[in-house]
Amino acid sequence: MGSIDDYLDGLDAADRDEIERIYAIARGLVPDAEQGTGYGMPALTYRGKPLLSVMRAKKHFGVYPFSQDAVLAAEPALADHDHSKGTVRFTADHRLGDEAITALVLARRDQIDH
């Protein structure tokens, strides 16, 4: 799969807007993040490691911070969302809040920094 921009170009406007919103928050928190891939998915990378990917699935969006520990660190902000060890799922009707995105991104960034 190609870059984030390539991936976004193939989405409908509403899905693209939601995914771009999450990437914009992540880029604001980690300005050194770059487009790349992680586990074959378009992702933001930081210091050569995958930071965050956001993908559209058939019935939901998936946020992948590439770390079970990042999900656990953000768990208090994820109480209203379905999540597992490496994925957070949400729908357009029940968006992932800025607090949850911030918690995921900062937890993953901190892991990469250490």
Side-chain angles (χ1 to χ4, degrees):
M1 196 168 272
S3 71
I4 292 170
D5 290 339
D6 292 339
Y7 177 69
L8 292 171
D9 285 344
L11 298 175
D12 69 40
D15 291 346
R16 183 174 48 251
D17 290 347
E18 185 59 23
I19 292 173
E20 284 180 328
R21 177 184 77 86
I22 295 169
Y23 281 129
I25 292 168
R27 284 182 178 115
L29 295 166
V30 186
D32 293 340
E34 300 175 339
Q35 290 194 39
T37 59
Y39 298 97
M41 297 183 287
L44 287 178
T45 62
Y46 172 63
R47 296 187 172 186
K49 296 184 179 180
L51 176 73
L52 185 79
S53 181
V54 187
M55 302 285 292
R56 182 70 169 115
K58 186 173 184 178
K59 295 184 179 184
H60 66 272
F61 294 91
V63 176
Y64 308 92
F66 303 101
S67 165
Q68 177 178 353
D69 290 339
V71 174
L72 290 172
E75 207 162 32
L78 301 173
D80 292 341
H81 295 283
D82 180 33
H83 59 282
S84 61
K85 64 181 181 177
T87 307
V88 177
R89 293 176 256 334
F90 69 97
T91 63
D93 294 336
H94 189 63
R95 295 171 72 193
L96 191 61
D98 293 3
E99 178 184 351
I101 298 162
T102 297
L104 286 167
V105 170
L106 293 181
R108 180 62 178 146
R109 180 205 62 195
D110 291 349
Q111 288 175 337
I112 293 169
D113 280 342
H114 290 107

